[in-house]
Amino acid sequence: DCRINFMRGFLSKKVSVLIEGKSKNNPDFLEGLTDNYLQVKLPFKPDLRNKIVWARPKRILGDNLIGEYVDNY
């Protein structure tokens, strides 16, 4: 699948993510979009909605990249 191959190119790379809010499926995660419109899920942290954070995608789950924060987030 072309989309999965595209997503693989971002694994372990530092990307900026605009946090949209809590994940609809799992409140332990926040959801956001990269500048390439890839959906990223990150561990929940308060007060990040509508903020841009740096993240590192670690794996693919469905149509989402699952990542961790980079720097001090």
Side-chain angles (χ1 to χ4, degrees):
D1 175 55
C2 196
R3 180 169 171 77
I4 296 296
N5 285 335
F6 182 69
M7 291 169 70
R8 279 188 188 126
F10 292 89
L11 292 176
S12 298
K13 295 191 177 164
K14 187 174 173 181
V15 297
S16 63
V17 179
L18 172 61
I19 300 295
E20 296 179 309
K22 278 188 181 181
S23 171
K24 296 163 194 74
N25 301 335
N26 187 340
D28 293 333
F29 284 89
L30 293 171
E31 291 182 346
L33 292 174
T34 70
D35 53 1
N36 289 313
Y37 299 101
L38 294 173
Q39 189 80 32
V40 179
K41 291 190 179 190
L42 297 164
F44 178 82
K45 290 192 178 187
D47 303 322
L48 290 181
R49 185 178 180 156
N50 295 323
K51 300 223 166 98
I52 296 174
V53 300
W54 289 103
R56 192 172 312 278
K58 291 299 194 181
R59 63 189 175 98
I60 299 170
L61 182 63
D63 287 336
N64 298 290
L65 292 166
I66 309 298
E68 62 188 23
Y69 296 97
V70 176
D71 297 329
N72 295 319
Y73 290 106

